[in-house]
Amino acid sequence: MTADTPALALAEGFATQVQRWSRQTGADDTAVRIAGRAAWLVSMALADGDVCVPLDEVAASLEREFTPERLGELLLQSGIVGTPEARGAMPLILDGGGRLYLHRYFDYETRLAACLVQRAGARDEAPGAGAKARLQALFAANGADPDWQKLAAAMALLGGLTIVSGGPGTGKTTTVVNLLACLLEQDPDCRIALAAPTGKAAARMTEAIRQRAAHLPVELQARLPTESYTIHRLLGATPTAGEFRHHAGQRLAIDALVVDEASMLDLALASKLFEALPDLARIILLGDKDQLAAVESGAVFAELSGDPTLSATHLERLADLCDLSAAAIAPSPAATATGLKDCAVWLTRNYRFAGDSGIGRLAARINAGDADAAIALLRTASDASLAWIEDDEAPPGVAALRRIQDGYADYLAALRGDIDDLASVFRAFDRFRLLCAVRAGSRGVEALNRLVSGWFRRGLEHALDPGEHSEWYPGRPVMVLRNDYVLKLFNGDIGIVLPDTAGALRVHFPDQEGGFRAVAPPRLPSHETAFAMTVHKSQGSEFDEVLLLLPTEYNRVLTRELVYTGLTRARKGVTLVGGERVLGRAIQAATRRHSGLAARIGEWAPTQRPSV
């Protein structure tokens, strides 16, 4: 369990309150003690990203003083634990599979499962008569047989829920652009919304769609959505945390929703998003099942994309729509049972990284959990896209620091040149990024930002730099850490401090029209310097080159998903800095989040699924 101080204090307070409630019900001392321990574990599990705690883990924490079965009996006797059939106002819920939940998260899971089952499967109406010809024309350039991009678009035309998983460069955006073209040709008045969990991912989605739409007729390009929303903004955030203007009682007025970077969706937000959608609205989730999961509890996208198998009936419909034989369509075997069929597609053909590219091969070995093969590739790779600095010094050694300075050399040169050319300055900054696994310590974000900032200011020596007494200086990159709907700045947005025409320092942010807007530093919401960022914060971003810095000692946040996510933020080149022992252990450590979403989905019988 994470020893984070706020999480620990919250867990201890919750456990104390649960024991007080349990005593008030007349429970005996043993049941009260067990209830307090279970409450503490559930609270700490949520801080770690789990949705629930298995009873065998509760038993293990008590050194097997009780069997899981006996623990379940004691918890139900404590007076503060309900069941799915008799929840009441109990703070904890114990399901039939031996999973213990905070009541609110069991409710989120149940509500999301209901929405998923309602939307899954084929829609009653068939795609328009010209759909087959449109798909054939739009995806003709791919040349693949079968073409899983085309099949993914066809699945979205046939069903209400489509989950498309693929790594960077596998064509998720191209798939969506062509799908949107099909929807708009079929219904020119189709109301389409684009969304992502963060402002950075939303802005990048709009730009990517604009770039990929050049092959469409001009009149069709003009009808594509021109703005993406954060999910919070789409739902209409209110001053009350966790509450939105759009919900089950006041739905969004849309016909189709595309959510990019859906791997960052946590359970609570996913539940609220699905409930706010009209019953007949299509939803398409795009993401990478191998990436890091949400910071908050749950790994919704990874769970839902685990089973790409197709029923015989759906296979026939797909084959007909894509002008293929059913025998030619062979989806990958399921990784996990999800309770959903005919919804998930895995895009595996990479258009950015060739099969023999260093980044592509390393990513595959990391995803397979093969640490020995990954390290062997790093040691022997002649591919210029990969470099390994085997450094576990604290702070980083000379070679790593020199590489960081080289990475930001183009940015420094851009600021020494025409500082008024904002587009060039931003392009130079986005060519390289320093990614850290952790925030604290000599190899964490905070220390590296201080180090790079000092070097950068000395190298630039700008006349408008007020000196070390001020944190504001020309060229300082700034990341927003909290949504500000008035300023239209969102968590993850990055701006650069540059002088305006009057010589005053302002933080400039790209806007969705391709221009820039300036914000006075005192008006910014919570923020931090962004020469270095955590891998979590880099999700939804891409850079030409990346340096991924691992800590000197193994930490529980180090997982294969973190290494893979950091690696695949790069388009052209990666430098990995870390020791063999820490790297190898990270690759072998797969993220495991406890959840009962598949069980909740399975509880909804097919006869309960409304026709859509």
Side-chain angles (χ1 to χ4, degrees):
M1 294 288 177
T2 302
D4 178 70
T5 301
L8 192 58
L10 185 65
E12 289 173 350
F14 180 53
T16 299
Q17 183 61 54
V18 161
Q19 288 184 321
R20 186 178 299 120
W21 287 332
S22 183
R23 286 192 188 95
Q24 290 172 355
T25 69
D28 63 34
D29 289 345
T30 300
V32 169
R33 177 171 67 88
I34 294 300
R37 180 61 180 170
W40 186 90
L41 287 169
V42 169
S43 185
M44 291 299 291
L46 288 172
D48 275 349
D50 292 315
V51 176
C52 55
V53 176
L55 278 187
D56 58 0
E57 289 196 4
V58 181
S61 77
L62 295 166
E63 298 183 353
R64 295 291 175 180
E65 182 182 347
F66 303 100
T67 65
E69 293 75 21
R70 179 57 183 153
L71 274 177
E73 294 171 359
L74 287 168
L75 286 169
L76 293 175
Q77 291 168 15
S78 70
I80 51 86
V81 177
T83 64
E85 298 76 26
R87 298 185 218 175
M90 301 296 187
L92 300 174
I93 301 294
L94 178 64
D95 78 355
R99 304 176 193 88
L100 187 66
Y101 292 81
L102 197 65
H103 191 132
R104 177 158 45 105
Y105 280 83
F106 182 82
D107 190 47
Y108 285 145
E109 204 172 73
T110 301
R111 287 156 50 191
L112 178 59
C115 291
L116 290 166
V117 171
Q118 186 267 333
R119 293 177 188 283
R123 299 166 70 94
D124 288 340
E125 79 276 10
K132 181 185 295 188
R134 284 195 296 272
L135 282 172
Q136 202 69 22
L138 288 167
F139 290 96
N142 283 0
D145 191 17
D147 180 356
W148 282 100
Q149 289 185 18
K150 180 166 70 173
L151 285 162
M155 284 181 69
L157 292 175
L158 292 170
L161 169 66
T162 308
I163 303 139
V164 182
S165 175
T170 53
K172 297 189 294 292
T173 305
T174 299
T175 302
V176 165
V177 167
N178 289 340
L179 166 62
L180 297 184
C182 287
L183 291 175
L184 288 168
E185 284 192 337
Q186 189 166 290
D187 177 10
D189 297 321
C190 184
R191 300 167 298 175
I192 299 169
L194 308 177
T198 68
K200 179 71 174 178
R204 186 170 160 268
M205 183 185 192
T206 306
E207 178 61 24
I209 286 178
R210 185 162 47 236
Q211 291 174 351
R212 299 293 195 282
H215 66 291
L216 299 178
V218 174
E219 64 275 11
L220 197 51
Q221 289 184 44
R223 296 211 302 272
L224 289 173
T226 57
E227 185 176 11
S228 298
Y229 300 85
T230 64
I231 294 173
H232 285 77
R233 184 179 166 215
L234 178 74
L235 292 177
T238 69
T240 304
E243 292 188 8
F244 301 96
R245 290 195 305 274
H246 293 288
H247 45 74
Q250 187 172 326
R251 307 286 183 90
L252 291 159
I254 58 175
D255 301 309
L257 172 65
V258 179
V259 180
D260 199 12
E261 298 294 345
S263 60
M264 289 190 268
L265 266 178
D266 62 85
L267 174 64
L269 189 57
S271 173
K272 293 170 184 178
L273 176 64
F274 271 81
E275 286 188 328
L277 294 174
D279 289 341
L280 296 181
R282 288 181 171 86
I283 181 166
I284 299 98
L285 302 180
L286 307 176
D288 184 345
K289 62 183 176 59
D290 298 314
Q291 273 196 161
L292 283 166
V295 175
E296 305 296 333
S297 297
V300 173
F301 185 83
E303 289 184 85
L304 297 184
S305 59
D307 187 355
T309 56
L310 299 169
S311 65
T313 301
H314 205 66
L315 191 63
E316 290 292 341
R317 295 188 74 191
L318 273 177
D320 178 65
L321 187 54
C322 294
D323 201 21
L324 292 167
S325 70
I329 304 173
S332 302
T336 57
T338 66
L340 298 175
K341 300 293 183 188
D342 304 331
C343 294
V345 181
W346 296 355
L347 302 181
T348 56
R349 181 183 178 187
N350 202 298
Y351 295 85
R352 181 187 305 164
F353 306 128
D356 59 351
S357 77
I359 295 176
R361 285 187 293 156
L362 182 59
R365 294 177 188 194
I366 289 170
N367 280 340
D370 194 337
D372 291 340
I375 288 169
L377 175 60
L378 285 167
R379 287 200 186 284
T380 60
S382 57
D383 192 315
S385 69
L386 283 183
W388 182 23
I389 299 175
E390 196 170 351
D391 167 9
D392 55 6
E393 297 180 38
V398 173
L401 295 178
R402 185 180 299 118
R403 178 67 194 92
I404 294 168
Q405 290 187 358
D406 290 345
Y408 282 120
D410 281 354
Y411 179 51
L412 184 60
L415 290 171
R416 284 172 172 165
D418 185 1
I419 201 169
D420 295 326
D421 186 351
L422 297 183
S424 293
V425 168
F426 272 86
R427 281 196 300 270
F429 180 63
D430 281 341
R431 288 187 190 119
F432 174 82
R433 194 68 86 249
L434 167 58
L435 303 182
C436 301
V438 295
R439 292 194 57 81
S442 61
R443 294 163 74 100
V445 165
E446 294 165 358
L448 268 297
N449 270 324
R450 287 193 299 270
L451 189 150
V452 177
S453 292
W455 162 77
F456 193 84
R457 294 177 84 163
R458 291 190 296 271
L460 185 58
E461 291 187 327
H462 197 281
L464 293 177
D465 187 339
E468 293 185 2
H469 67 277
S470 173
E471 64 178 344
W472 298 103
Y473 57 89
R476 181 193 178 198
V478 175
M479 176 185 285
V480 173
L481 301 177
R482 179 175 54 80
N483 295 340
D484 187 317
Y485 293 93
V486 174
L487 292 176
K488 295 184 179 179
L489 293 176
F490 303 99
N491 185 9
D493 285 356
I494 291 181
I496 294 177
V497 179
L498 296 167
D500 62 14
T501 54
L505 292 181
R506 296 288 184 264
V507 188
H508 293 75
F509 291 90
D511 61 31
Q512 295 208 352
E513 286 70 48
F516 298 88
R517 55 198 179 93
V519 179
R523 297 192 64 199
L524 281 186
S526 178
H527 58 273
E528 67 182 3
T529 302
F531 283 113
M533 64 173 67
T534 61
V535 175
H536 271 98
K537 286 289 188 182
S538 74
Q539 287 181 271
S541 300
E542 290 180 353
F543 314 99
D544 287 348
E545 297 188 359
V546 158
L547 185 143
L548 176 58
L549 179 64
L550 302 182
T552 59
E553 297 296 331
Y554 181 75
N555 183 304
R556 287 190 63 216
V557 304
L558 292 174
T559 62
R560 77 177 57 145
E561 289 83 4
L562 182 139
V563 178
Y564 167 81
T565 302
L567 169 77
T568 54
R569 297 311 89 203
R571 299 185 189 97
K572 297 178 181 177
V574 173
T575 300
L576 198 148
V577 179
E580 177 180 345
R581 178 178 56 85
V582 170
L583 174 60
R585 190 169 173 187
I587 293 171
Q588 291 172 334
T591 298
R592 185 187 65 162
R593 289 195 168 181
H594 293 305
S595 163
L597 183 57
R600 303 286 84 78
I601 291 170
E603 289 165 1
W604 287 80
T607 54
Q608 292 177 289
R609 180 182 297 161
S611 175
V612 295

